[in-house]
Amino acid sequence: MPEVHEASAAADDTRTASSSDTYSYLGPTGTFTEAALAQVPDAAGKTWRSVNNVGEALDDVTSGRSVAAMIAIENSVEGGVSATQDALASIPNLRIIGEYLVKVQFVLVARPGIALSDVHVINAHPVAYAQCRNWLEANLPTHGHIPATSNVASALSLFESDLADAAIAPPRIVEHHELEVLAENIGDNQNAVTRFVLVGRNSRLPEPTGADKTSIIAELPEDRSGALLELLEQFSTRGVNLSLLQSRPIGDALGRYRFVIDADGHVLDERVADALMGVRRFSPNVIFLGSYPRADRAKVEYIDRYDDGVFIEARDWLRSLVSGEPEA
């Protein structure tokens, strides 16, 4: 088992190991984020530092306290995690170096002696709460909600105060704490999955595997008709499929947006590289977040006319025209 530091631990605790041996994650122990970090081979046997939020996790990386941080970036039910997307847009020199999928299931837990009929107020992380809304409305239609910083913190807060009667938490929470399960499988979608990304400072690209993803954030040059279409055409005309496209307000004026984009393929793939150059010519601000293997390891499919060789041949043809070489 890795050595785990709680978020409230003294700063000296994290100095017992070098930054190359430390990984940050949204804690405390038992969260879905910890389950994602458990999938990282390089993190096995290293120090895992529990933090309270995305900002603290990424600050660990930029300050050198941790070699990388595991953070949630997308949920199959709720979509993109805005706190993560906004942080990646504002903090420079970060790279996504891997992605991991965790199946999401929830239980309703309470202190011993509390029955479901006694529940009037619930602690829950906002994302978890949204994913259990139908069950809550059907079984606890008059309940109140207190937001928590994590799915485990929602349960632990039951021991800290009596403001809430129950909490939404991961199923394994009862293995770590003296809680009783009032209801199981309360999520509205039994196929819900959360996508996590491991974020570090390493600018060296992993080699293409044929089953890769490239993430960027790009701003529109101006608020006008067709601007978004022009951005998307940089990918469509090169045969690059997008698996994520989500808008986030830049914040300096109404109508100003940046777009979080996941493109199928690696930046070293000719079609992806050409698309990114098109985006760079078009957008006033492009943030490259990284190229990394897909969590599902599914091979990227594309039409033959967008194969690397086609782009290379086209460049060679143009080069021969410019140099005055005779046509074959």
Side-chain angles (χ1 to χ4, degrees), residues 81-97:
V81 179
S82 58
T84 296
Q85 294 172 341
D86 292 345
L88 291 173
S90 59
I91 302 174
N93 302 319
L94 294 174
R95 287 288 186 272
I96 297 174
I97 54 181

Side-chain angles (χ1 to χ4, degrees), residues 265-328:
H266 195 283
V267 68
L268 294 180
D269 296 336
E270 293 287 341
R271 62 188 179 282
V272 177
D274 206 55
L276 293 189
M277 287 190 289
V279 172
R280 183 65 184 89
R281 291 191 296 268
F282 168 81
S283 172
N285 186 25
V286 181
I287 301 171
F288 176 74
L289 296 177
S291 289
Y292 47 91
R294 294 167 56 107
D296 58 11
R297 300 300 188 265
K299 293 292 183 181
V300 175
E301 297 182 358
Y302 56 91
I303 301 173
D304 288 345
R305 68 172 178 269
Y306 299 117
D307 186 77
D308 281 2
V310 175
F311 285 87
I312 294 171
E313 190 279 331
R315 279 204 308 271
D316 289 343
W317 172 78
L318 181 60
R319 188 179 300 112
S320 68
L321 292 180
V322 174
S323 63
E325 296 176 15
E327 294 188 34

